[in-house]
Amino acid sequence: MSENSQFRFPGATGVGSLPGGDAREAAKTATGSFEDFPFLPELPARGPGADMIGRTAGMLVELYARVEPSGWRLGDRPGRDTKRARSFLGEDLDALEEFTQGYEGDLKVQAVGPWTLAAALELKNGEAALSDPGACRDLAASLAEGLRLHLAEVRRRVPGARTVLQLDEPSLTAVLRGQVRTASGYRTHRAVDRQVVEATLRDVVGAHADGPVVVHSCAPDVPFALLRRAGAAAVSFDFALLTERDDEAVGEAVEGGTRLFTGVVPGTDGPLSDPAGSVMGVRTLWRRLGLHPELLAEAVTVTPACGLAGASPAYARQALAHCVRAARSLADNPE
């Protein structure tokens, strides 16, 4: 989107994955925890096709993937793994529709972005699609078309929602730095040119022409400036991995109208601090950057540090509720 600042996001939401395998229970949790910013849950514990790569592979148009011992591999025709992935997604959409009757407001859906997908999906020779520029282009085009269809289906089922698309790109930094390993494990794939990375992301972001796109990565060294130029309205990240080296890029992002989805609540079971304590680091960052405290509620959405698939169901519910309370603390006491 060219005008990031036109979008206003609510104060808290989830990242995507939840524990367990019950689609109705997950939808109930995701919609009940966030009255103004629910999300379509992902339940990878159900197995292949419910994992993030398999789920997104099932959305591709005229490209298909199947499970091999080494991971997901592109093939010529849809098989049982594609059907399973689409079936899981259908279950999740049915459950979401049930718990969003009459809902009007923001609704977030997640899919793997083009570069993490290219790093994870194998070609017939066993190497990552990342090794072949033509395969990367085909994959991005297929993904963009698949996302358009998926978002249209979500809007059909929840007509009052403004859909927010989250692209998960945990491998993006490794792609930019040439750190993605080859099939043998002895070498790494060549770094992809930053302009090619940016242009491809821009094309996929453009698949959601009538709504904002968030790019999420819980890896270190998130390329904030590149993501902004590619059209991301918001960047979602693990706040604990931020360093002072990121200050300038974060400050420029905020001043340019980019929303920060700050992952401040741990994604696995453990003691939770008080809500104000969870966002203390965000307030400290704000002071360090010399930004106005009143901007905090406008510029920050509070989330878990990453997906909650590895948490217990009880902790996952606590963590999501904690995000809401932490966001309220930021809004009530920005200083």
Side-chain angles (χ1 to χ4, degrees):
M1 310 304 299
S2 56
E3 282 293 325
N4 292 341
S5 55
Q6 70 183 289
F7 297 112
R8 290 286 175 263
F9 296 95
T13 190
V15 170
S17 66
L18 291 176
D22 186 328
R24 289 187 74 256
E25 187 61 34
K28 183 179 176 184
T29 297
T31 55
S33 300
F34 303 107
E35 292 178 4
D36 55 359
F37 203 179
F39 62 98
L40 175 63
E42 300 163 355
L43 299 172
R46 293 178 296 191
D51 60 298
M52 60 188 280
I53 299 299
R55 184 182 186 85
T56 301
M59 296 179 193
L60 296 174
V61 173
E62 295 181 4
L63 283 179
Y64 312 101
R66 64 180 186 273
V67 179
E68 296 286 344
S70 52
W72 284 90
R73 182 171 296 183
L74 291 165
D76 297 325
R77 61 184 66 85
R80 65 182 182 197
D81 296 323
T82 298
K83 289 176 185 148
R84 189 190 300 121
R86 291 175 178 172
S87 173
F88 283 142
L89 182 57
E91 277 178 35
D92 295 338
L93 287 167
D94 288 344
L96 182 75
E97 185 177 1
E98 178 184 345
F99 287 98
T100 50
Q101 294 295 312
Y103 176 72
E104 294 184 357
D106 289 296
L107 171 64
K108 184 166 70 67
V109 299
Q110 306 81 223
V112 176
W115 292 108
T116 296
L117 204 58
L121 287 178
E122 298 173 357
L123 301 173
K124 289 177 188 174
N125 65 4
E127 286 296 351
L130 188 65
S131 64
D132 181 336
C136 290
R137 285 191 295 273
D138 291 346
L139 195 54
S142 173
L143 174 62
E145 184 57 28
L147 288 173
R148 272 191 281 272
L149 295 171
H150 176 52
L151 290 160
E153 175 67 7
V154 173
R155 284 192 293 271
R156 185 185 71 76
R157 289 169 176 263
V158 194
R162 174 181 80 159
T163 51
V164 176
L165 171 62
Q166 175 180 304
L167 293 175
D168 292 322
E169 281 284 16
S171 299
L172 184 59
T173 301
V175 167
L176 288 164
R177 292 183 174 175
Q179 295 171 336
V180 177
R181 295 206 166 274
T182 57
S184 69
Y186 295 122
R187 295 185 302 111
T188 55
H189 293 289
R190 186 180 293 125
V192 181
D193 181 88
R194 294 182 81 85
Q195 289 181 314
V196 173
V197 170
E198 184 183 320
T200 301
L201 276 168
R202 189 180 299 114
D203 288 345
V204 177
V205 166
H208 194 22
D210 54 355
V213 175
V214 183
V215 180
H216 167 74
S217 173
C218 43
D221 300 318
V222 175
F224 287 91
L226 184 152
L227 295 176
R228 289 176 56 221
R229 290 194 303 271
V235 180
S236 169
F237 56 98
D238 181 346
F239 189 82
L241 298 179
L242 215 58
T243 70
E244 291 193 22
R245 288 199 315 273
D246 299 305
D247 279 6
E248 186 178 347
V250 172
E252 286 176 358
V254 173
E255 289 175 344
T258 304
R259 183 87 176 189
L260 304 181
F261 282 44
T262 55
V264 297
V265 178
T268 51
D269 290 42
L272 291 169
S273 70
D274 65 294
S278 292
V279 287
M280 190 184 302
V282 181
R283 290 194 181 93
T284 302
L285 171 69
W286 234 243
R287 285 194 293 272
R288 205 165 69 225
L289 296 176
L291 295 167
H292 291 295
E294 302 78 49
L295 260 180
L296 264 171
E298 279 186 30
V300 171
T301 293
V302 177
T303 72
C306 212
L308 293 166
S312 66
Y315 176 81
R317 288 190 294 270
Q318 284 176 357
L320 298 181
H322 194 82
C323 288
V324 173
R325 288 195 293 270
R328 198 170 298 134
S329 167
L330 265 189
D332 293 347
N333 304 294
E335 295 286 357

